[in-house]
Amino acid sequence: MMHFPISMAVPARFTGPVPESADVVVIGAGVIGVMTGWYLAERGFRVVVCEKGRVAGEQSSRNWGWIRQQGRDPDELPIMVESLRLWQGLAQSLGNPFGFRQTGVLYLANREEQLGQYESWTVHAAAHGLDTRLVGRRELAERLPGAADLWQGGLFTASDARAEPWLAVPALAAGAAERGVTILEDCAVRALDLEGGRVAGVTTERGRIRAPEVVLAGGAWSSLFARAHGVNLPQLSVLSSVAQTEPMPEILPGAAADDAFAFRRREDGGYTIAGGSEHDFFIGPDAFRHALKYRKAVKKDFLSTHYRWLAPRNYPDGWNTPRTWSKGAPTPFEAMRVLNPAPNLATLSRAAAAFGRAFPGVGRPKIRATWAGMIDTMPDVVPVIDRAESVPGLTIATGMSGHGFGIGPGVGRVVADLVAGRPVGHDLTRFRLSRFTDGSEIILGPSL
């Protein structure tokens, strides 16, 4: 079985000296952090992106590789439409080393009521000029030749895309570095430096960096870091298991999902497959702390969630993970530099079996590699993109809830302009941090 290509066993690529100062420090070199740095540099800012482990070592490289507009929360959709345009430009300017292809995304309806949900979402698609449309049984049979007759119909967006995430984000990081962004791997940020209650820089394991602005884009680690500075970010993480198949005949050039499994064509001739909505949740202290805020999400996903009573050692919500620490000593971010959870092999076995039943002429796929990632999520399953009122100079961009890879360039551009004090071009009300404390109703997203 092959190993995941990004780990601490891979030598660090970005190893330059730590600068004394910057205009902005970005915490986290996933797709959000890298693209925030990219667009800040374009606007003339001196940017340092600090990564405790490896660029894209966590969920930014471990996701399904979908770049989709389809099914987005209506408030995410305008940023995602922009993000798709940015992906097109990035692929062209970088020579497309990551396999960006607009091959479409197909949702498959196992039940009649799902078609009604799909039809309702087409209103949002039409409002933004998307090419989304309902697909009947006859077209499904043409689009998926040899498939079993399992579905009532579907929803298809031809302009949606795919890419190889473990290639894409490192390539974007290299492009950002060429544009003047300083990226530092093996450089955990231990704490914010505050003067007079506002950000004055950060203390890293390799020294202090003076900076008036900091962006927290730490993925599953963001809540732990924020809480140490008095910012209550009700973020939790779920484990998503993924597999890579051996090369096999092309069934669909793009990506598709139903209730039982999801799949996406890969550049190597195989497929990335996963268990659809099936995921695992490790219970830790934050699960109890934020339980009431998550009651709607738990009710919706209860049957598709496997609950595990003990979060593993050193995980962000592990029972032994410190919630406070000293700037002068190693922190939880150094204890686990790359969050590399073991996949749920039973989930992947069920997904492979479902794939085989759906495509009997091809049969159950042979698995080449398996892995898992921790998806950082929020109670309403949409991100936080906001300035932290209680810590002037801190901007938070986290909780992408499994939607971050595709929307990453768009969010990076938005965050860069938010930090720069420029118009962001989108309504960010839905993504404000205060929605969890101002009495607002928690409205679940995305729509599909």
Side-chain angles (χ1 to χ4, degrees):
M1 189 74 70
M2 295 175 61
H3 297 288
F4 195 74
I6 300 178
S7 72
M8 289 302 294
V10 177
R13 181 178 178 183
F14 301 95
T15 58
V18 177
E20 293 184 359
S21 66
D23 297 319
V24 185
V25 172
V26 178
I27 302 173
V31 65
I32 305 300
V34 165
M35 295 314 300
T36 296
W38 178 300
Y39 290 111
L40 280 167
E42 278 195 350
R43 284 144 182 74
F45 288 79
R46 295 177 301 138
V47 187
V48 178
V49 177
C50 293
E51 169 54 51
K52 63 185 176 61
R54 294 290 177 267
V55 167
E58 298 186 346
Q59 186 57 22
S60 283
S61 63
R62 295 164 183 263
N63 60 82
W64 297 357
W66 294 27
I67 300 174
R68 65 173 176 88
Q69 303 160 105
Q70 180 167 293
R72 291 272 176 178
D73 182 273
D75 290 291
E76 282 187 357
L77 191 51
I79 302 177
M80 184 59 229
V81 171
E82 176 188 353
S83 194
L84 182 61
R85 292 196 301 269
L86 294 175
W87 273 111
Q88 292 168 336
L90 291 165
Q92 184 175 13
S93 65
L94 297 177
N96 197 16
F98 39 79
F100 173 83
R101 300 182 190 280
Q102 289 181 268
T103 48
V105 164
L106 176 63
Y107 284 177
L108 298 162
N110 296 93
R111 304 178 308 281
E112 192 71 34
E113 60 266 27
Q114 288 175 303
L115 291 177
Q117 296 170 356
Y118 293 169
E119 185 174 12
S120 296
W121 194 85
T122 60
V123 174
H124 305 299
H128 294 280
L130 272 61
D131 54 353
T132 304
R133 59 188 180 81
L134 292 172
V135 175
R137 282 178 180 252
R138 179 177 297 179
E139 183 175 342
L140 281 184
E142 295 172 354
R143 192 171 289 279
L144 298 170
D149 185 16
L150 301 177
W151 304 295
Q152 305 297 314
L155 187 70
F156 183 62
T157 303
S159 59
D160 280 353
R162 70 179 218 226
E164 301 299 342
W166 62 276
L167 293 173
V169 182
L172 294 173
E178 290 174 357
R179 287 156 176 78
V181 178
T182 298
I183 300 175
L184 302 173
E185 295 176 306
D186 293 325
C187 188
V189 174
R190 292 177 169 175
L192 299 175
D193 287 339
L194 303 176
E195 294 179 2
R198 71 156 292 121
V199 169
V202 298
T203 296
T204 80
E205 63 179 300
R206 294 168 57 190
R208 185 175 188 266
I209 305 173
R210 297 190 307 275
E213 297 283 345
V214 171
V215 174
L216 176 57
W221 300 91
S222 296
S223 178
L224 183 64
F225 186 92
R227 189 165 185 263
H229 296 86
V231 179
N232 183 21
L233 185 64
Q235 177 191 57
L236 298 174
S237 298
V238 296
L239 180 148
S240 175
S241 299
V242 191
Q244 171 191 357
T245 75
E246 296 283 356
M248 56 194 297
E250 183 175 281
I251 296 166
L252 186 74
D258 74 354
D259 290 343
F261 70 110
F263 63 98
R264 188 263 302 173
R265 186 67 169 172
R266 298 171 57 91
E267 287 295 284
D268 59 17
Y271 280 88
T272 291
I273 64 172
S277 60
E278 193 173 337
H279 53 262
D280 297 64
F281 178 66
F282 296 111
I283 296 176
D286 287 346
F288 289 96
R289 184 176 294 114
H290 303 310
L292 289 178
K293 290 183 173 64
Y294 278 87
R295 61 187 182 274
K296 287 187 178 181
V298 169
K299 182 179 179 181
K300 179 183 178 184
D301 293 335
F302 186 79
L303 295 178
S304 60
T305 303
H306 307 290
Y307 293 93
R308 303 189 186 183
W309 284 106
L310 290 177
R313 183 176 181 84
N314 295 325
Y315 275 37
D317 195 24
W319 289 96
N320 70 318
T321 302
R323 265 54 184 178
T324 59
W325 49 82
S326 166
K327 294 181 182 180
T331 67
F333 313 112
E334 292 141 275
M336 171 122 355
R337 292 187 181 274
V338 172
L339 193 53
N340 182 30
N344 187 326
L345 297 181
T347 292
L348 294 176
S349 179
R350 285 188 288 271
F355 188 103
R357 288 192 298 271
F359 304 104
V362 176
R364 183 175 178 138
K366 295 181 180 178
I367 302 301
R368 172 178 286 186
T370 63
W371 65 90
M374 299 299 293
I375 297 175
D376 53 309
T377 189
M378 305 302 296
D380 48 8
V381 204
V382 293
V384 168
I385 305 172
D386 200 5
R387 306 278 279 179
E389 292 184 5
S390 61
V391 186
L394 175 64
T395 299
I396 299 173
T398 196
M400 297 297 142
S401 305
H403 320 141
F405 177 63
I407 205 171
V411 169
R413 199 282 302 163
V414 165
V415 174
D417 283 336
L418 189 62
V419 172
R422 297 167 49 146
V424 299
H426 300 293
D427 183 1
L428 302 184
T429 303
R430 173 87 154 117
F431 313 120
R432 71 195 187 283
L433 176 60
S434 64
R435 70 188 189 266
F436 302 116
T437 57
D438 62 9
S440 298
E441 179 186 0
I442 290 178
I443 300 172
L444 292 182
S447 294
L448 300 176

Short mmCIF file of all heavy atoms in Angstrom, two decimals, residues 241-291:
data_model
loop_
_atom_site.label_atom_id
_atom_site.label_comp_id
_atom_site.label_asym_id
_atom_site.label_seq_id
_atom_site.Cartn_x
_atom_site.Cartn_y
_atom_site.Cartn_z
N SER A 241 -12.29 9.70 5.41
CA SER A 241 -11.40 8.67 4.87
C SER A 241 -11.49 8.64 3.35
O SER A 241 -12.58 8.76 2.78
CB SER A 241 -11.79 7.30 5.43
OG SER A 241 -11.66 7.28 6.83
N VAL A 242 -10.35 8.47 2.70
CA VAL A 242 -10.26 8.56 1.24
C VAL A 242 -9.36 7.44 0.73
O VAL A 242 -8.44 7.00 1.43
CB VAL A 242 -9.70 9.93 0.79
CG1 VAL A 242 -9.86 10.12 -0.71
CG2 VAL A 242 -10.37 11.08 1.54
N ALA A 243 -9.62 6.98 -0.50
CA ALA A 243 -8.79 5.95 -1.12
C ALA A 243 -8.45 6.33 -2.55
O ALA A 243 -9.20 7.05 -3.22
CB ALA A 243 -9.50 4.59 -1.10
N GLN A 244 -7.33 5.82 -3.01
CA GLN A 244 -6.90 5.95 -4.40
C GLN A 244 -6.93 4.57 -5.03
O GLN A 244 -6.39 3.61 -4.49
CB GLN A 244 -5.47 6.51 -4.46
CG GLN A 244 -4.82 6.49 -5.83
CD GLN A 244 -3.34 6.81 -5.78
OE1 GLN A 244 -2.79 7.10 -4.72
NE2 GLN A 244 -2.68 6.74 -6.93
N THR A 245 -7.58 4.46 -6.19
CA THR A 245 -7.64 3.16 -6.85
C THR A 245 -6.46 2.98 -7.81
O THR A 245 -5.76 3.94 -8.16
CB THR A 245 -8.93 3.01 -7.67
OG1 THR A 245 -8.84 3.79 -8.87
CG2 THR A 245 -10.15 3.43 -6.87
N GLU A 246 -6.27 1.75 -8.22
CA GLU A 246 -5.37 1.47 -9.33
C GLU A 246 -5.98 2.07 -10.61
O GLU A 246 -7.18 2.32 -10.67
CB GLU A 246 -5.20 -0.04 -9.50
CG GLU A 246 -4.52 -0.73 -8.33
CD GLU A 246 -3.01 -0.51 -8.32
OE1 GLU A 246 -2.50 0.11 -9.26
OE2 GLU A 246 -2.36 -0.99 -7.36
N PRO A 247 -5.17 2.31 -11.65
CA PRO A 247 -5.74 2.77 -12.93
C PRO A 247 -6.83 1.83 -13.41
O PRO A 247 -6.73 0.60 -13.25
CB PRO A 247 -4.53 2.77 -13.86
CG PRO A 247 -3.36 2.99 -12.95
CD PRO A 247 -3.69 2.26 -11.68
N MET A 248 -7.88 2.41 -13.98
CA MET A 248 -9.03 1.62 -14.42
C MET A 248 -9.74 2.34 -15.55
O MET A 248 -9.47 3.52 -15.81
CB MET A 248 -9.98 1.38 -13.24
CG MET A 248 -10.46 2.66 -12.56
SD MET A 248 -11.25 2.38 -10.94
CE MET A 248 -12.65 1.39 -11.42
N PRO A 249 -10.63 1.66 -16.26
CA PRO A 249 -11.33 2.32 -17.37
C PRO A 249 -12.08 3.56 -16.89
O PRO A 249 -12.59 3.61 -15.77
CB PRO A 249 -12.30 1.24 -17.85
CG PRO A 249 -11.70 -0.05 -17.42
CD PRO A 249 -11.01 0.24 -16.13
N GLU A 250 -12.16 4.55 -17.77
CA GLU A 250 -12.86 5.79 -17.41
C GLU A 250 -14.37 5.56 -17.40
O GLU A 250 -14.95 5.16 -18.40
CB GLU A 250 -12.51 6.92 -18.38
CG GLU A 250 -13.17 8.24 -17.99
CD GLU A 250 -12.74 9.39 -18.86
OE1 GLU A 250 -11.64 9.93 -18.63
OE2 GLU A 250 -13.49 9.74 -19.79
N ILE A 251 -14.98 5.84 -16.28
CA ILE A 251 -16.42 5.77 -16.12
C ILE A 251 -17.05 7.15 -16.32
O ILE A 251 -18.08 7.30 -16.96
CB ILE A 251 -16.76 5.22 -14.72
CG1 ILE A 251 -16.26 3.79 -14.58
CG2 ILE A 251 -18.26 5.30 -14.44
CD1 ILE A 251 -16.25 3.29 -13.16
N LEU A 252 -16.38 8.13 -15.75
CA LEU A 252 -16.82 9.53 -15.82
C LEU A 252 -15.58 10.38 -15.74
O LEU A 252 -14.71 10.13 -14.89
CB LEU A 252 -17.77 9.84 -14.66
CG LEU A 252 -18.45 11.21 -14.64
CD1 LEU A 252 -19.56 11.27 -15.70
CD2 LEU A 252 -19.04 11.50 -13.26
N PRO A 253 -15.42 11.39 -16.59
CA PRO A 253 -14.21 12.20 -16.55
C PRO A 253 -14.13 13.15 -15.37
O PRO A 253 -13.06 13.66 -15.04
CB PRO A 253 -14.24 12.97 -17.87
CG PRO A 253 -15.70 13.06 -18.21
CD PRO A 253 -16.29 11.77 -17.72
N GLY A 254 -15.27 13.39 -14.72
CA GLY A 254 -15.30 14.33 -13.61
C GLY A 254 -15.52 13.66 -12.27
O GLY A 254 -14.89 12.66 -11.95
N ALA A 255 -16.44 14.23 -11.48
CA ALA A 255 -16.69 13.75 -10.12
C ALA A 255 -18.17 13.52 -9.93
O ALA A 255 -19.01 14.17 -10.57
CB ALA A 255 -16.19 14.78 -9.11
N ALA A 256 -18.51 12.57 -9.05
CA ALA A 256 -19.91 12.26 -8.78
C ALA A 256 -20.04 11.71 -7.37
O ALA A 256 -19.07 11.21 -6.78
CB ALA A 256 -20.45 11.25 -9.79
N ALA A 257 -21.26 11.76 -6.84
CA ALA A 257 -21.53 11.23 -5.50
C ALA A 257 -22.99 10.87 -5.37
O ALA A 257 -23.86 11.52 -5.96
CB ALA A 257 -21.13 12.24 -4.44
N ASP A 258 -23.26 9.82 -4.59
CA ASP A 258 -24.62 9.52 -4.14
C ASP A 258 -24.56 9.31 -2.64
O ASP A 258 -23.59 9.70 -1.97
CB ASP A 258 -25.23 8.35 -4.92
CG ASP A 258 -24.67 6.99 -4.52
OD1 ASP A 258 -23.71 6.93 -3.71
OD2 ASP A 258 -25.20 5.98 -5.00
N ASP A 259 -25.57 8.67 -2.05
CA ASP A 259 -25.60 8.49 -0.60
C ASP A 259 -24.49 7.58 -0.10
O ASP A 259 -24.04 7.71 1.04
CB ASP A 259 -26.95 7.91 -0.17
CG ASP A 259 -28.09 8.89 -0.30
OD1 ASP A 259 -27.82 10.11 -0.41
OD2 ASP A 259 -29.25 8.45 -0.30
N ALA A 260 -24.05 6.64 -0.93
CA ALA A 260 -23.15 5.59 -0.46
C ALA A 260 -21.68 5.84 -0.77
O ALA A 260 -20.81 5.34 -0.05
CB ALA A 260 -23.57 4.24 -1.06
N PHE A 261 -21.37 6.56 -1.83
CA PHE A 261 -19.97 6.74 -2.20
C PHE A 261 -19.81 7.97 -3.09
O PHE A 261 -20.77 8.49 -3.66
CB PHE A 261 -19.42 5.51 -2.92
CG PHE A 261 -19.98 5.29 -4.31
CD1 PHE A 261 -19.16 5.47 -5.42
CD2 PHE A 261 -21.30 4.90 -4.52
CE1 PHE A 261 -19.65 5.27 -6.71
CE2 PHE A 261 -21.79 4.70 -5.79
CZ PHE A 261 -20.98 4.88 -6.89
N ALA A 262 -18.57 8.43 -3.17
CA ALA A 262 -18.21 9.53 -4.05
C ALA A 262 -16.95 9.14 -4.80
O ALA A 262 -16.11 8.38 -4.29
CB ALA A 262 -17.96 10.81 -3.24
N PHE A 263 -16.79 9.66 -6.03
CA PHE A 263 -15.60 9.33 -6.79
C PHE A 263 -15.23 10.48 -7.72
O PHE A 263 -16.06 11.30 -8.09
CB PHE A 263 -15.78 8.03 -7.58
CG PHE A 263 -16.87 8.05 -8.63
CD1 PHE A 263 -16.56 8.29 -9.96
CD2 PHE A 263 -18.20 7.81 -8.29
CE1 PHE A 263 -17.55 8.29 -10.94
CE2 PHE A 263 -19.20 7.80 -9.26
CZ PHE A 263 -18.88 8.05 -10.58
N ARG A 264 -13.93 10.52 -8.05
CA ARG A 264 -13.40 11.59 -8.91
C ARG A 264 -12.25 11.03 -9.73
O ARG A 264 -11.34 10.37 -9.22
CB ARG A 264 -12.92 12.76 -8.03
CG ARG A 264 -12.52 14.02 -8.78
CD ARG A 264 -11.03 14.12 -9.02
NE ARG A 264 -10.24 14.09 -7.80
CZ ARG A 264 -8.92 14.03 -7.79
NH1 ARG A 264 -8.23 13.95 -8.93
NH2 ARG A 264 -8.24 13.96 -6.65
N ARG A 265 -12.31 11.27 -11.05
CA ARG A 265 -11.25 10.79 -11.94
C ARG A 265 -9.94 11.48 -11.58
O ARG A 265 -9.91 12.70 -11.32
CB ARG A 265 -11.62 11.08 -13.39
CG ARG A 265 -10.65 10.50 -14.42
CD ARG A 265 -10.70 8.99 -14.44
NE ARG A 265 -9.98 8.42 -15.59
CZ ARG A 265 -9.76 7.11 -15.72
NH1 ARG A 265 -10.19 6.27 -14.80
NH2 ARG A 265 -9.12 6.66 -16.78
N ARG A 266 -8.85 10.72 -11.57
CA ARG A 266 -7.53 11.23 -11.25
C ARG A 266 -6.67 11.34 -12.50
O ARG A 266 -6.93 10.69 -13.52
CB ARG A 266 -6.84 10.29 -10.26
CG ARG A 266 -7.55 10.14 -8.93
CD ARG A 266 -6.92 9.02 -8.10
NE ARG A 266 -5.49 9.26 -7.89
CZ ARG A 266 -4.99 9.93 -6.84
NH1 ARG A 266 -5.80 10.40 -5.91
NH2 ARG A 266 -3.69 10.10 -6.71
N GLU A 267 -5.62 12.12 -12.41
CA GLU A 267 -4.69 12.27 -13.51
C GLU A 267 -3.91 10.99 -13.79
O GLU A 267 -3.43 10.78 -14.91
CB GLU A 267 -3.70 13.41 -13.22
CG GLU A 267 -4.29 14.81 -13.31
CD GLU A 267 -4.73 15.15 -14.72
OE1 GLU A 267 -3.86 15.44 -15.56
OE2 GLU A 267 -5.95 15.11 -14.98
N ASP A 268 -3.78 10.11 -12.79
CA ASP A 268 -3.01 8.88 -12.98
C ASP A 268 -3.83 7.75 -13.57
O ASP A 268 -3.36 6.62 -13.69
CB ASP A 268 -2.37 8.43 -11.66
CG ASP A 268 -3.40 8.18 -10.56
OD1 ASP A 268 -4.61 8.02 -10.87
OD2 ASP A 268 -3.01 8.14 -9.38
N GLY A 269 -5.10 8.02 -13.94
CA GLY A 269 -5.94 7.01 -14.56
C GLY A 269 -6.78 6.21 -13.59
O GLY A 269 -7.56 5.35 -14.02
N GLY A 270 -6.63 6.48 -12.31
CA GLY A 270 -7.48 5.83 -11.32
C GLY A 270 -8.58 6.77 -10.86
O GLY A 270 -8.91 7.76 -11.53
N TYR A 271 -9.17 6.45 -9.74
CA TYR A 271 -10.20 7.28 -9.14
C TYR A 271 -9.88 7.51 -7.67
O TYR A 271 -9.31 6.64 -7.00
CB TYR A 271 -11.59 6.64 -9.25
CG TYR A 271 -12.21 6.83 -10.61
CD1 TYR A 271 -11.96 5.93 -11.64
CD2 TYR A 271 -13.02 7.93 -10.88
CE1 TYR A 271 -12.51 6.11 -12.90
CE2 TYR A 271 -13.58 8.12 -12.14
CZ TYR A 271 -13.32 7.20 -13.14
OH TYR A 271 -13.86 7.40 -14.39
N THR A 272 -10.21 8.68 -7.18
CA THR A 272 -10.28 8.93 -5.75
C THR A 272 -11.70 8.59 -5.32
O THR A 272 -12.66 9.09 -5.90
CB THR A 272 -9.96 10.40 -5.43
OG1 THR A 272 -8.58 10.65 -5.70
CG2 THR A 272 -10.25 10.71 -3.97
N ILE A 273 -11.83 7.71 -4.32
CA ILE A 273 -13.16 7.33 -3.85
C ILE A 273 -13.26 7.57 -2.35
O ILE A 273 -12.26 7.56 -1.62
CB ILE A 273 -13.52 5.87 -4.19
CG1 ILE A 273 -12.58 4.89 -3.48
CG2 ILE A 273 -13.49 5.65 -5.69
CD1 ILE A 273 -13.01 3.45 -3.63
N ALA A 274 -14.47 7.80 -1.89
CA ALA A 274 -14.73 8.05 -0.48
C ALA A 274 -16.14 7.60 -0.15
O ALA A 274 -16.92 7.24 -1.04
CB ALA A 274 -14.52 9.53 -0.14
N GLY A 275 -16.47 7.66 1.12
CA GLY A 275 -17.74 7.15 1.58
C GLY A 275 -18.87 8.15 1.57
O GLY A 275 -19.71 8.12 2.48
N GLY A 276 -18.92 9.04 0.61
CA GLY A 276 -20.01 10.01 0.54
C GLY A 276 -20.03 10.88 1.78
O GLY A 276 -19.05 11.55 2.11
N SER A 277 -21.14 10.86 2.52
CA SER A 277 -21.26 11.69 3.72
C SER A 277 -20.76 11.00 4.98
O SER A 277 -20.80 11.57 6.07
CB SER A 277 -22.73 12.09 3.91
OG SER A 277 -23.54 10.94 4.07
N GLU A 278 -20.28 9.77 4.87
CA GLU A 278 -19.84 9.01 6.05
C GLU A 278 -18.53 9.57 6.60
O GLU A 278 -17.57 9.82 5.86
CB GLU A 278 -19.66 7.55 5.64
CG GLU A 278 -19.51 6.59 6.80
CD GLU A 278 -19.51 5.13 6.34
OE1 GLU A 278 -20.03 4.85 5.24
OE2 GLU A 278 -18.97 4.30 7.08
N HIS A 279 -18.48 9.79 7.91
CA HIS A 279 -17.27 10.31 8.53
C HIS A 279 -17.21 9.88 9.99
O HIS A 279 -18.15 9.29 10.52
CB HIS A 279 -17.20 11.84 8.41
CG HIS A 279 -18.42 12.55 8.92
ND1 HIS A 279 -19.42 12.99 8.10
CD2 HIS A 279 -18.80 12.88 10.17
CE1 HIS A 279 -20.37 13.56 8.81
NE2 HIS A 279 -20.02 13.51 10.08
N ASP A 280 -16.08 10.17 10.64
CA ASP A 280 -15.86 9.81 12.04
C ASP A 280 -15.68 11.07 12.86
O ASP A 280 -15.14 12.08 12.37
CB ASP A 280 -14.61 8.95 12.18
CG ASP A 280 -14.72 7.62 11.45
OD1 ASP A 280 -14.83 7.61 10.20
OD2 ASP A 280 -14.69 6.60 12.13
N PHE A 281 -16.08 11.00 14.13
CA PHE A 281 -15.91 12.15 15.03
C PHE A 281 -15.31 11.68 16.34
O PHE A 281 -15.84 10.79 17.01
CB PHE A 281 -17.25 12.83 15.29
CG PHE A 281 -17.13 14.00 16.25
CD1 PHE A 281 -16.42 15.12 15.89
CD2 PHE A 281 -17.71 13.94 17.50
CE1 PHE A 281 -16.28 16.18 16.77
CE2 PHE A 281 -17.58 15.00 18.39
CZ PHE A 281 -16.87 16.12 18.02
N PHE A 282 -14.15 12.27 16.70
CA PHE A 282 -13.49 11.98 17.96
C PHE A 282 -14.01 12.94 19.03
O PHE A 282 -13.95 14.15 18.86
CB PHE A 282 -11.97 12.16 17.82
CG PHE A 282 -11.32 11.21 16.86
CD1 PHE A 282 -10.81 11.67 15.66
CD2 PHE A 282 -11.21 9.87 17.16
CE1 PHE A 282 -10.19 10.80 14.77
CE2 PHE A 282 -10.60 8.99 16.28
CZ PHE A 282 -10.09 9.45 15.08
N ILE A 283 -14.47 12.39 20.13
CA ILE A 283 -15.04 13.22 21.19
C ILE A 283 -13.93 13.67 22.14
O ILE A 283 -13.17 12.86 22.68
CB ILE A 283 -16.12 12.44 21.96
CG1 ILE A 283 -17.28 12.14 21.01
CG2 ILE A 283 -16.61 13.25 23.17
CD1 ILE A 283 -18.37 11.29 21.62
N GLY A 284 -13.85 14.99 22.33
CA GLY A 284 -12.88 15.59 23.24
C GLY A 284 -13.55 16.70 24.04
O GLY A 284 -14.77 16.90 23.95
N PRO A 285 -12.79 17.47 24.81
CA PRO A 285 -13.37 18.51 25.64
C PRO A 285 -14.19 19.54 24.86
O PRO A 285 -15.24 19.99 25.33
CB PRO A 285 -12.15 19.16 26.30
CG PRO A 285 -11.10 18.10 26.27
CD PRO A 285 -11.35 17.32 25.04
N ASP A 286 -13.73 19.94 23.68
CA ASP A 286 -14.46 20.95 22.91
C ASP A 286 -15.80 20.42 22.41
O ASP A 286 -16.73 21.20 22.20
CB ASP A 286 -13.62 21.43 21.72
CG ASP A 286 -12.48 22.33 22.15
OD1 ASP A 286 -12.49 22.80 23.31
OD2 ASP A 286 -11.56 22.55 21.34
N ALA A 287 -15.91 19.11 22.22
CA ALA A 287 -17.18 18.54 21.80
C ALA A 287 -18.26 18.80 22.85
O ALA A 287 -19.41 19.10 22.51
CB ALA A 287 -17.03 17.04 21.57
N PHE A 288 -17.89 18.72 24.12
CA PHE A 288 -18.84 19.03 25.19
C PHE A 288 -19.04 20.54 25.31
O PHE A 288 -20.16 21.02 25.53
CB PHE A 288 -18.34 18.45 26.52
CG PHE A 288 -18.43 16.96 26.58
CD1 PHE A 288 -17.33 16.18 26.28
CD2 PHE A 288 -19.61 16.33 26.93
CE1 PHE A 288 -17.40 14.79 26.33
CE2 PHE A 288 -19.70 14.95 26.98
CZ PHE A 288 -18.59 14.17 26.68
N ARG A 289 -17.96 21.28 25.17
CA ARG A 289 -18.04 22.74 25.32
C ARG A 289 -18.99 23.36 24.29
O ARG A 289 -19.72 24.30 24.60
CB ARG A 289 -16.63 23.33 25.19
CG ARG A 289 -16.56 24.83 25.41
CD ARG A 289 -15.12 25.33 25.35
NE ARG A 289 -14.33 24.80 26.45
CZ ARG A 289 -13.32 23.95 26.31
NH1 ARG A 289 -12.98 23.52 25.11
NH2 ARG A 289 -12.66 23.51 27.35
N HIS A 290 -18.99 22.84 23.07
CA HIS A 290 -19.78 23.44 21.99
C HIS A 290 -21.01 22.61 21.61
O HIS A 290 -21.62 22.85 20.57
CB HIS A 290 -18.90 23.61 20.75
CG HIS A 290 -17.66 24.43 20.99
ND1 HIS A 290 -17.69 25.66 21.62
CD2 HIS A 290 -16.36 24.18 20.68
CE1 HIS A 290 -16.45 26.13 21.69
NE2 HIS A 290 -15.63 25.26 21.13
N ALA A 291 -21.37 21.65 22.44
CA ALA A 291 -22.41 20.68 22.07
C ALA A 291 -23.72 21.35 21.66
O ALA A 291 -24.35 20.96 20.67
CB ALA A 291 -22.65 19.71 23.22
#
